[in-house]
Amino acid sequence: YKAKEHKNSYVIFSKAIYGNTKEIVQIETELRQAIAREEFSLVYQPKINSKTNKIVGVEALIRWYNLKLGFVSPEKFIKIAEKSGIINDIGEYVIKQAQKDIKEVWAQTNEEFTLSVNVSPRQLVSIKEMNRFKKLILNSNFPNDKFMIEITENIFLGDVKGIILFLNTIKSYNISISLDDFGTGYSSLSILSKLPISELKIDKSFIHDMFLNEENMKLVKSIVNIGKDINLEVVAEGVEEQNELKLLESFGCNIYQGYYFSKPLSKEELIEFIKNKI
Ligand code: C2E
Ligand code: MG
Ligand code: MG
Ligand code: MG
């Protein structure tokens, strides 16, 4: 399946996002040093319940500043980190740092909410990686029932049975699983009933196009309904405008992540954001 995975990602990423070969090689070279040089940082974007106006969780999002390259967006470097395998070390950094930061935020605000981190398919590609991931989680002293991992449909380019088994194990630890970027992948709706997920994130591309494209609006409405019917929390990602929020609320969506409520924030900004809400 390896060849297939590479072929697919090549088709999708080679031109627009992936850049030219020289650039990729340079990014990869710099990425290998980035953890040791402490070039990564994390920001946290709140997930808000619009009914209570309360923060129900945050998603950790990685940022990379390199002296030669400047700021490089995760859309660009995560793909390269995945192909080269560096993502496994990056993933470990993200979980450790995010858990440490969020415990500090809880302590300073007297609020507890869920922490979500993005997990690449490559981090769960074989038994070896899955075991590394399990060990990392079991050795952390962050409460499992406040921890959530975000996966995408791309995870099923790998060993589907093995992944489902792994996700069930994760769930048995009381860790929650979210299906991110929903609607952009290849999988069919039936995957929803096979996966031990508790949250569905509607991709921001659908949210943006709701008012431009009636089909997209209907699609979003259907996703919200399906999610509710099978008891999933539905999160609308990328909400920027009040009219988007109002429409989504009329569909019955309650949880939002987007610039309308907040951009991704540093740990210090997050503490301020929460204190101002209380
Ligand atoms: P994602 O997991 O779907 O994260 C949501 C992205 O949407 C973030 O982009 C966030 O900043 C952006 N966003 C949120 N609200 C809005 C909005 O209202 N308008 C617009 N235009 N954008 C909004 P970001 O931080 O650039 O991350 C992009 C992607 O990179 C993420 O998409 C995720 O797939 C990946 N990524 C980020 N951090 C990590 C990480 O630590 N590990 C892994 N494996 N992937 C990561
Ligand atoms: Mg995500
Ligand atoms: Mg997403
Ligand atoms: Mg996305």
Side-chain angles (χ1 to χ4, degrees):
Y1 93 88
K2 264 268 150 64
K4 191 170 144 229
E5 181 198 300
H6 282 257
K7 206 171 125 220
N8 280 344
S9 30
Y10 179 78
V11 170
I12 299 169
F13 298 110
S14 61
K15 296 179 192 86
I17 299 177
Y18 211 57
N20 60 46
T21 313
K22 200 177 145 211
E23 191 186 8
I24 295 167
V25 170
Q26 196 186 16
I27 289 180
E28 191 179 321
T29 307
E30 295 301 318
L31 268 181
R32 290 192 188 283
Q33 317 280 337
I35 292 180
R37 292 189 190 140
E38 300 185 10
E39 293 176 353
F40 292 121
S41 60
L42 294 177
V43 287
Y44 301 94
Q45 191 176 32
K47 287 195 303 195
I48 305 286
N49 181 327
S50 69
K51 287 228 171 84
T52 59
N53 204 30
K54 277 208 133 197
I55 182 168
V56 293
V58 294
E59 176 179 13
L61 294 160
I62 195 164
R63 296 292 176 262
W64 181 31
Y65 181 78
N66 173 273
L67 275 180
K68 281 185 207 150
L69 302 166
F71 280 104
V72 186
S73 105
E75 301 274 10
K76 191 162 206 161
F77 76 78
I78 291 288
K79 300 294 161 214
I80 298 169
E82 283 175 344
K83 286 210 172 189
S84 56
I86 308 170
I87 194 66
N88 291 295
D89 289 337
I90 295 179
E92 189 164 324
Y93 157 80
V94 170
I95 290 178
K96 284 183 174 161
Q97 188 64 46
Q99 293 189 337
K100 184 166 167 260
D101 284 352
I102 293 310
K103 280 199 284 189
E104 209 177 306
V105 175
W106 290 348
Q108 296 212 22
T109 58
N110 273 316
E111 293 274 310
E112 274 203 4
F113 45 80
T114 305
L115 165 65
S116 299
V117 300
N118 294 287
V119 174
S120 291
R122 180 67 195 251
Q123 286 174 264
L124 305 174
V125 80
S126 74
I127 301 284
K128 183 174 152 242
E129 278 82 15
M130 290 188 221
N131 282 340
R132 176 177 175 178
F133 193 85
K134 259 194 256 179
K135 222 185 244 166
L136 176 64
I137 282 172
L138 292 175
N139 288 338
S140 85
N141 54 358
F142 192 87
N144 285 354
D145 64 350
K146 289 279 181 290
F147 191 58
M148 181 180 268
I149 62 170
E150 295 191 4
I151 57 169
T152 65
E153 293 156 280
N154 290 338
I155 206 158
F156 299 107
L157 293 170
D159 162 21
V160 177
K161 272 192 188 156
I163 300 278
I164 292 183
L165 206 64
F166 173 82
L167 294 177
N168 279 306
T169 308
I170 291 289
K171 198 195 168 186
S172 73
Y173 299 158
N174 280 325
I175 292 168
S176 310
I177 301 159
S178 171
L179 192 56
D180 199 0
D181 299 348
F182 186 69
T184 61
Y186 300 103
S187 65
S188 67
L189 279 179
S190 69
I191 202 76
L192 288 178
S193 58
K194 296 196 185 88
L195 291 181
I197 53 173
S198 57
E199 182 185 278
L200 204 58
K201 282 184 133 175
I202 307 176
D203 192 67
K204 58 177 181 286
S205 58
F206 296 109
I207 306 293
H208 274 296
D209 289 353
M210 277 192 310
F211 288 103
L212 299 174
N213 180 331
E214 205 186 332
E215 247 83 67
N216 267 350
M217 186 188 314
K218 287 178 182 165
L219 205 60
V220 170
K221 188 177 178 185
S222 307
I223 296 174
V224 174
N225 281 324
I226 290 168
K228 280 169 55 171
D229 282 347
I230 58 173
N231 287 318
L232 299 177
E233 195 71 77
V234 180
V235 179
E237 177 188 88
V239 175
E240 294 184 359
E241 311 284 344
Q242 187 165 30
N243 60 355
E244 295 168 344
L245 174 68
K246 292 296 165 213
L247 185 62
L248 287 158
E249 280 181 327
S250 78
F251 297 161
C253 187
N254 296 321
I255 313 291
Y256 299 91
Q257 187 181 345
Y259 296 170
Y260 179 77
F261 288 99
S262 174
K263 295 208 169 190
L265 306 169
S266 69
K267 178 183 68 182
E268 293 75 18
E269 289 168 336
L270 178 62
I271 291 170
E272 279 312 298
F273 180 84
I274 295 167
K275 284 185 172 166
N276 288 334
K277 266 203 171 308
I278 300 168

mmCIF file of all heavy atoms in Angstrom, residues 65-102:
data_model
loop_
_atom_site.group_PDB
_atom_site.id
_atom_site.type_symbol
_atom_site.label_atom_id
_atom_site.label_comp_id
_atom_site.label_asym_id
_atom_site.label_seq_id
_atom_site.Cartn_x
_atom_site.Cartn_y
_atom_site.Cartn_z
ATOM 1 N N TYR A 65 9.192 28.458 13.154
ATOM 2 C CA TYR A 65 10.001 29.576 12.675
ATOM 3 C C TYR A 65 11.439 29.122 12.532
ATOM 4 O O TYR A 65 12.066 28.682 13.491
ATOM 5 C CB TYR A 65 9.924 30.779 13.626
ATOM 6 C CG TYR A 65 10.745 31.934 13.096
ATOM 7 C CD1 TYR A 65 10.246 32.735 12.077
ATOM 8 C CD2 TYR A 65 12.037 32.176 13.572
ATOM 9 C CE1 TYR A 65 11.007 33.766 11.543
ATOM 10 C CE2 TYR A 65 12.803 33.208 13.041
ATOM 11 C CZ TYR A 65 12.283 33.991 12.030
ATOM 12 O OH TYR A 65 13.038 35.005 11.490
ATOM 13 N N ASN A 66 11.946 29.250 11.326
ATOM 14 C CA ASN A 66 13.313 28.843 11.022
ATOM 15 C C ASN A 66 14.081 30.067 10.519
ATOM 16 O O ASN A 66 13.549 30.874 9.762
ATOM 17 C CB ASN A 66 13.272 27.748 9.949
ATOM 18 C CG ASN A 66 14.644 27.359 9.440
ATOM 19 O OD1 ASN A 66 15.165 27.976 8.505
ATOM 20 N ND2 ASN A 66 15.222 26.339 10.031
ATOM 21 N N LEU A 67 15.360 30.180 10.954
ATOM 22 C CA LEU A 67 16.146 31.376 10.600
ATOM 23 C C LEU A 67 16.286 31.580 9.095
ATOM 24 O O LEU A 67 16.196 32.692 8.590
ATOM 25 C CB LEU A 67 17.527 31.302 11.248
ATOM 26 C CG LEU A 67 17.606 31.822 12.691
ATOM 27 C CD1 LEU A 67 19.025 31.702 13.226
ATOM 28 C CD2 LEU A 67 17.112 33.274 12.773
ATOM 29 N N LYS A 68 16.520 30.458 8.365
ATOM 30 C CA LYS A 68 16.695 30.583 6.917
ATOM 31 C C LYS A 68 15.377 30.731 6.190
ATOM 32 O O LYS A 68 15.262 31.474 5.217
ATOM 33 C CB LYS A 68 17.406 29.342 6.372
ATOM 34 C CG LYS A 68 18.895 29.349 6.601
ATOM 35 C CD LYS A 68 19.531 28.134 5.921
ATOM 36 C CE LYS A 68 20.802 27.750 6.649
ATOM 37 N NZ LYS A 68 21.086 26.307 6.572
ATOM 38 N N LEU A 69 14.367 29.999 6.646
ATOM 39 C CA LEU A 69 13.109 29.897 5.896
ATOM 40 C C LEU A 69 12.022 30.838 6.395
ATOM 41 O O LEU A 69 11.005 31.013 5.735
ATOM 42 C CB LEU A 69 12.588 28.451 5.949
ATOM 43 C CG LEU A 69 13.523 27.370 5.410
ATOM 44 C CD1 LEU A 69 13.054 25.984 5.826
ATOM 45 C CD2 LEU A 69 13.611 27.465 3.884
ATOM 46 N N GLY A 70 12.230 31.399 7.579
ATOM 47 C CA GLY A 70 11.174 32.219 8.178
ATOM 48 C C GLY A 70 10.049 31.342 8.707
ATOM 49 O O GLY A 70 10.277 30.174 9.032
ATOM 50 N N PHE A 71 8.835 31.888 8.760
ATOM 51 C CA PHE A 71 7.694 31.072 9.165
ATOM 52 C C PHE A 71 7.298 30.161 8.014
ATOM 53 O O PHE A 71 7.126 30.624 6.890
ATOM 54 C CB PHE A 71 6.497 31.954 9.543
ATOM 55 C CG PHE A 71 6.611 32.530 10.927
ATOM 56 C CD1 PHE A 71 6.952 33.863 11.124
ATOM 57 C CD2 PHE A 71 6.379 31.725 12.045
ATOM 58 C CE1 PHE A 71 7.066 34.388 12.405
ATOM 59 C CE2 PHE A 71 6.496 32.243 13.327
ATOM 60 C CZ PHE A 71 6.846 33.574 13.507
ATOM 61 N N VAL A 72 7.166 28.883 8.304
ATOM 62 C CA VAL A 72 6.689 27.929 7.302
ATOM 63 C C VAL A 72 5.359 27.376 7.810
ATOM 64 O O VAL A 72 5.261 26.963 8.966
ATOM 65 C CB VAL A 72 7.686 26.766 7.101
ATOM 66 C CG1 VAL A 72 7.240 25.865 5.955
ATOM 67 C CG2 VAL A 72 9.101 27.300 6.850
ATOM 68 N N SER A 73 4.346 27.384 6.959
ATOM 69 C CA SER A 73 3.023 26.961 7.419
ATOM 70 C C SER A 73 2.959 25.446 7.575
ATOM 71 O O SER A 73 3.603 24.704 6.818
ATOM 72 C CB SER A 73 1.947 27.449 6.454
ATOM 73 O OG SER A 73 1.481 26.379 5.670
ATOM 74 N N PRO A 74 2.182 24.972 8.554
ATOM 75 C CA PRO A 74 2.056 23.527 8.730
ATOM 76 C C PRO A 74 1.479 22.838 7.493
ATOM 77 O O PRO A 74 1.828 21.698 7.207
ATOM 78 C CB PRO A 74 1.125 23.367 9.937
ATOM 79 C CG PRO A 74 0.550 24.707 10.214
ATOM 80 C CD PRO A 74 1.455 25.718 9.593
ATOM 81 N N GLU A 75 0.625 23.549 6.755
ATOM 82 C CA GLU A 75 0.094 22.958 5.517
ATOM 83 C C GLU A 75 1.237 22.482 4.632
ATOM 84 O O GLU A 75 1.116 21.522 3.888
ATOM 85 C CB GLU A 75 -0.727 23.997 4.726
ATOM 86 C CG GLU A 75 -1.904 24.590 5.460
ATOM 87 C CD GLU A 75 -3.166 23.744 5.330
ATOM 88 O OE1 GLU A 75 -3.070 22.607 4.835
ATOM 89 O OE2 GLU A 75 -4.232 24.227 5.739
ATOM 90 N N LYS A 76 2.350 23.199 4.690
ATOM 91 C CA LYS A 76 3.496 22.874 3.853
ATOM 92 C C LYS A 76 4.426 21.849 4.510
ATOM 93 O O LYS A 76 4.743 20.821 3.935
ATOM 94 C CB LYS A 76 4.264 24.161 3.558
ATOM 95 C CG LYS A 76 5.317 24.011 2.509
ATOM 96 C CD LYS A 76 5.704 25.371 1.968
ATOM 97 C CE LYS A 76 6.240 25.253 0.555
ATOM 98 N NZ LYS A 76 6.197 26.538 -0.139
ATOM 99 N N PHE A 77 4.846 22.117 5.767
ATOM 100 C CA PHE A 77 5.927 21.268 6.288
ATOM 101 C C PHE A 77 5.449 19.945 6.884
ATOM 102 O O PHE A 77 6.224 18.993 6.946
ATOM 103 C CB PHE A 77 6.813 22.045 7.273
ATOM 104 C CG PHE A 77 6.251 22.274 8.647
ATOM 105 C CD1 PHE A 77 6.262 21.269 9.593
ATOM 106 C CD2 PHE A 77 5.750 23.520 8.997
ATOM 107 C CE1 PHE A 77 5.772 21.494 10.877
ATOM 108 C CE2 PHE A 77 5.253 23.750 10.272
ATOM 109 C CZ PHE A 77 5.257 22.732 11.207
ATOM 110 N N ILE A 78 4.172 19.858 7.290
ATOM 111 C CA ILE A 78 3.694 18.589 7.857
ATOM 112 C C ILE A 78 3.766 17.470 6.808
ATOM 113 O O ILE A 78 4.180 16.348 7.112
ATOM 114 C CB ILE A 78 2.254 18.723 8.414
ATOM 115 C CG1 ILE A 78 2.235 19.614 9.669
ATOM 116 C CG2 ILE A 78 1.649 17.357 8.729
ATOM 117 C CD1 ILE A 78 2.840 19.016 10.919
ATOM 118 N N LYS A 79 3.412 17.776 5.568
ATOM 119 C CA LYS A 79 3.490 16.767 4.502
ATOM 120 C C LYS A 79 4.920 16.248 4.347
ATOM 121 O O LYS A 79 5.144 15.061 4.173
ATOM 122 C CB LYS A 79 3.067 17.375 3.146
ATOM 123 C CG LYS A 79 1.679 17.922 3.088
ATOM 124 C CD LYS A 79 0.634 16.838 3.226
ATOM 125 C CE LYS A 79 -0.704 17.441 3.624
ATOM 126 N NZ LYS A 79 -1.496 16.566 4.497
ATOM 127 N N ILE A 80 5.867 17.169 4.410
ATOM 128 C CA ILE A 80 7.269 16.791 4.236
ATOM 129 C C ILE A 80 7.744 16.000 5.456
ATOM 130 O O ILE A 80 8.456 15.003 5.333
ATOM 131 C CB ILE A 80 8.132 18.049 3.993
ATOM 132 C CG1 ILE A 80 7.657 18.720 2.690
ATOM 133 C CG2 ILE A 80 9.615 17.721 3.939
ATOM 134 C CD1 ILE A 80 8.210 20.104 2.443
ATOM 135 N N ALA A 81 7.292 16.423 6.629
ATOM 136 C CA ALA A 81 7.643 15.694 7.857
ATOM 137 C C ALA A 81 7.046 14.291 7.836
ATOM 138 O O ALA A 81 7.635 13.339 8.352
ATOM 139 C CB ALA A 81 7.145 16.465 9.078
ATOM 140 N N GLU A 82 5.881 14.157 7.223
ATOM 141 C CA GLU A 82 5.244 12.831 7.137
ATOM 142 C C GLU A 82 6.049 11.919 6.218
ATOM 143 O O GLU A 82 6.360 10.784 6.565
ATOM 144 C CB GLU A 82 3.807 12.967 6.605
ATOM 145 C CG GLU A 82 2.842 13.482 7.670
ATOM 146 C CD GLU A 82 1.441 13.749 7.132
ATOM 147 O OE1 GLU A 82 1.263 13.830 5.890
ATOM 148 O OE2 GLU A 82 0.524 13.902 7.960
ATOM 149 N N LYS A 83 6.391 12.413 5.050
ATOM 150 C CA LYS A 83 7.115 11.583 4.084
ATOM 151 C C LYS A 83 8.466 11.135 4.616
ATOM 152 O O LYS A 83 8.919 10.043 4.327
ATOM 153 C CB LYS A 83 7.325 12.352 2.776
ATOM 154 C CG LYS A 83 6.045 12.465 1.998
ATOM 155 C CD LYS A 83 6.315 12.532 0.521
ATOM 156 C CE LYS A 83 4.997 12.442 -0.231
ATOM 157 N NZ LYS A 83 5.167 12.297 -1.655
ATOM 158 N N SER A 84 9.123 12.008 5.366
ATOM 159 C CA SER A 84 10.475 11.692 5.824
ATOM 160 C C SER A 84 10.459 10.973 7.170
ATOM 161 O O SER A 84 11.506 10.537 7.642
ATOM 162 C CB SER A 84 11.281 12.980 5.943
ATOM 163 O OG SER A 84 10.593 13.865 6.811
ATOM 164 N N GLY A 85 9.294 10.871 7.788
ATOM 165 C CA GLY A 85 9.204 10.182 9.072
ATOM 166 C C GLY A 85 9.485 11.067 10.275
ATOM 167 O O GLY A 85 9.319 10.645 11.420
ATOM 168 N N ILE A 86 9.901 12.310 10.039
ATOM 169 C CA ILE A 86 10.199 13.227 11.148
ATOM 170 C C ILE A 86 8.943 13.513 11.970
ATOM 171 O O ILE A 86 9.017 13.919 13.124
ATOM 172 C CB ILE A 86 10.806 14.554 10.612
ATOM 173 C CG1 ILE A 86 11.985 14.251 9.684
ATOM 174 C CG2 ILE A 86 11.287 15.468 11.736
ATOM 175 C CD1 ILE A 86 12.492 15.471 8.933
ATOM 176 N N ILE A 87 7.795 13.281 11.370
ATOM 177 C CA ILE A 87 6.523 13.559 12.040
ATOM 178 C C ILE A 87 6.386 12.807 13.371
ATOM 179 O O ILE A 87 5.709 13.281 14.284
ATOM 180 C CB ILE A 87 5.323 13.232 11.109
ATOM 181 C CG1 ILE A 87 4.012 13.826 11.650
ATOM 182 C CG2 ILE A 87 5.161 11.741 10.907
ATOM 183 C CD1 ILE A 87 3.941 15.319 11.674
ATOM 184 N N ASN A 88 7.045 11.656 13.474
ATOM 185 C CA ASN A 88 6.915 10.903 14.729
ATOM 186 C C ASN A 88 7.552 11.656 15.892
ATOM 187 O O ASN A 88 6.999 11.685 16.992
ATOM 188 C CB ASN A 88 7.495 9.499 14.572
ATOM 189 C CG ASN A 88 6.635 8.661 13.646
ATOM 190 O OD1 ASN A 88 5.490 8.353 13.952
ATOM 191 N ND2 ASN A 88 7.163 8.348 12.481
ATOM 192 N N ASP A 89 8.705 12.263 15.657
ATOM 193 C CA ASP A 89 9.329 13.074 16.709
ATOM 194 C C ASP A 89 8.540 14.360 16.942
ATOM 195 O O ASP A 89 8.365 14.788 18.087
ATOM 196 C CB ASP A 89 10.775 13.435 16.324
ATOM 197 C CG ASP A 89 11.692 12.223 16.396
ATOM 198 O OD1 ASP A 89 11.353 11.267 17.137
ATOM 199 O OD2 ASP A 89 12.727 12.208 15.703
ATOM 200 N N ILE A 90 8.062 14.956 15.865
ATOM 201 C CA ILE A 90 7.268 16.180 16.001
ATOM 202 C C ILE A 90 5.997 15.886 16.805
ATOM 203 O O ILE A 90 5.629 16.639 17.711
ATOM 204 C CB ILE A 90 6.916 16.766 14.616
ATOM 205 C CG1 ILE A 90 8.188 17.229 13.894
ATOM 206 C CG2 ILE A 90 5.929 17.928 14.751
ATOM 207 C CD1 ILE A 90 7.955 17.795 12.493
ATOM 208 N N GLY A 91 5.360 14.780 16.472
ATOM 209 C CA GLY A 91 4.130 14.401 17.174
ATOM 210 C C GLY A 91 4.346 14.227 18.669
ATOM 211 O O GLY A 91 3.501 14.602 19.483
ATOM 212 N N GLU A 92 5.499 13.677 19.013
ATOM 213 C CA GLU A 92 5.819 13.482 20.425
ATOM 214 C C GLU A 92 6.030 14.833 21.117
ATOM 215 O O GLU A 92 5.535 15.064 22.218
ATOM 216 C CB GLU A 92 7.066 12.608 20.545
ATOM 217 C CG GLU A 92 7.339 12.170 21.962
ATOM 218 C CD GLU A 92 8.322 11.002 22.042
ATOM 219 O OE1 GLU A 92 8.288 10.112 21.146
ATOM 220 O OE2 GLU A 92 9.123 10.994 22.979
ATOM 221 N N TYR A 93 6.748 15.713 20.425
ATOM 222 C CA TYR A 93 6.934 17.077 20.961
ATOM 223 C C TYR A 93 5.579 17.739 21.211
ATOM 224 O O TYR A 93 5.344 18.335 22.260
ATOM 225 C CB TYR A 93 7.774 17.928 19.989
ATOM 226 C CG TYR A 93 7.538 19.413 20.160
ATOM 227 C CD1 TYR A 93 8.161 20.122 21.192
ATOM 228 C CD2 TYR A 93 6.642 20.094 19.328
ATOM 229 C CE1 TYR A 93 7.907 21.476 21.369
ATOM 230 C CE2 TYR A 93 6.388 21.447 19.508
ATOM 231 C CZ TYR A 93 7.017 22.133 20.528
ATOM 232 O OH TYR A 93 6.739 23.453 20.720
ATOM 233 N N VAL A 94 4.677 17.638 20.223
ATOM 234 C CA VAL A 94 3.383 18.328 20.314
ATOM 235 C C VAL A 94 2.595 17.825 21.530
ATOM 236 O O VAL A 94 2.081 18.626 22.322
ATOM 237 C CB VAL A 94 2.553 18.137 19.016
ATOM 238 C CG1 VAL A 94 1.126 18.650 19.201
ATOM 239 C CG2 VAL A 94 3.224 18.860 17.848
ATOM 240 N N ILE A 95 2.527 16.531 21.683
ATOM 241 C CA ILE A 95 1.724 15.986 22.792
ATOM 242 C C ILE A 95 2.319 16.397 24.139
ATOM 243 O O ILE A 95 1.610 16.891 25.026
ATOM 244 C CB ILE A 95 1.598 14.449 22.676
ATOM 245 C CG1 ILE A 95 0.693 14.125 21.475
ATOM 246 C CG2 ILE A 95 1.015 13.844 23.960
ATOM 247 C CD1 ILE A 95 0.506 12.642 21.205
ATOM 248 N N LYS A 96 3.621 16.230 24.294
ATOM 249 C CA LYS A 96 4.247 16.559 25.583
ATOM 250 C C LYS A 96 4.085 18.042 25.911
ATOM 251 O O LYS A 96 3.695 18.410 27.015
ATOM 252 C CB LYS A 96 5.733 16.194 25.563
ATOM 253 C CG LYS A 96 5.970 14.696 25.698
ATOM 254 C CD LYS A 96 7.457 14.390 25.755
ATOM 255 C CE LYS A 96 7.691 12.918 26.036
ATOM 256 N NZ LYS A 96 9.054 12.511 25.664
ATOM 257 N N GLN A 97 4.405 18.895 24.938
ATOM 258 C CA GLN A 97 4.350 20.336 25.182
ATOM 259 C C GLN A 97 2.922 20.811 25.414
ATOM 260 O O GLN A 97 2.665 21.610 26.330
ATOM 261 C CB GLN A 97 4.972 21.087 23.987
ATOM 262 C CG GLN A 97 5.135 22.577 24.203
ATOM 263 C CD GLN A 97 6.120 22.888 25.322
ATOM 264 O OE1 GLN A 97 7.204 22.311 25.392
ATOM 265 N NE2 GLN A 97 5.734 23.785 26.227
ATOM 266 N N ALA A 98 1.983 20.300 24.601
ATOM 267 C CA ALA A 98 0.585 20.744 24.722
ATOM 268 C C ALA A 98 0.014 20.325 26.076
ATOM 269 O O ALA A 98 -0.668 21.110 26.736
ATOM 270 C CB ALA A 98 -0.249 20.160 23.584
ATOM 271 N N GLN A 99 0.299 19.120 26.505
ATOM 272 C CA GLN A 99 -0.239 18.660 27.792
ATOM 273 C C GLN A 99 0.323 19.491 28.937
ATOM 274 O O GLN A 99 -0.393 19.853 29.870
ATOM 275 C CB GLN A 99 0.060 17.165 27.981
ATOM 276 C CG GLN A 99 -0.722 16.301 26.978
ATOM 277 C CD GLN A 99 -0.635 14.813 27.256
ATOM 278 O OE1 GLN A 99 0.314 14.357 27.908
ATOM 279 N NE2 GLN A 99 -1.601 14.061 26.761
ATOM 280 N N LYS A 100 1.608 19.803 28.831
ATOM 281 C CA LYS A 100 2.245 20.636 29.863
ATOM 282 C C LYS A 100 1.602 22.021 29.889
ATOM 283 O O LYS A 100 1.205 22.519 30.956
ATOM 284 C CB LYS A 100 3.735 20.734 29.524
ATOM 285 C CG LYS A 100 4.583 21.469 30.526
ATOM 286 C CD LYS A 100 6.064 21.188 30.242
ATOM 287 C CE LYS A 100 6.947 22.136 31.012
ATOM 288 N NZ LYS A 100 7.443 23.266 30.184
ATOM 289 N N ASP A 101 1.476 22.635 28.721
ATOM 290 C CA ASP A 101 0.891 23.986 28.623
ATOM 291 C C ASP A 101 -0.539 24.011 29.153
ATOM 292 O O ASP A 101 -0.920 24.918 29.895
ATOM 293 C CB ASP A 101 0.858 24.460 27.153
ATOM 294 C CG ASP A 101 2.229 24.892 26.644
ATOM 295 O OD1 ASP A 101 3.171 24.964 27.456
ATOM 296 O OD2 ASP A 101 2.343 25.153 25.429
ATOM 297 N N ILE A 102 -1.333 23.041 28.749
ATOM 298 C CA ILE A 102 -2.761 23.104 29.091
ATOM 299 C C ILE A 102 -2.983 22.846 30.582
ATOM 300 O O ILE A 102 -3.857 23.462 31.200
ATOM 301 C CB ILE A 102 -3.588 22.152 28.190
ATOM 302 C CG1 ILE A 102 -3.552 22.666 26.740
ATOM 303 C CG2 ILE A 102 -5.025 22.014 28.692
ATOM 304 C CD1 ILE A 102 -3.899 24.150 26.541
#
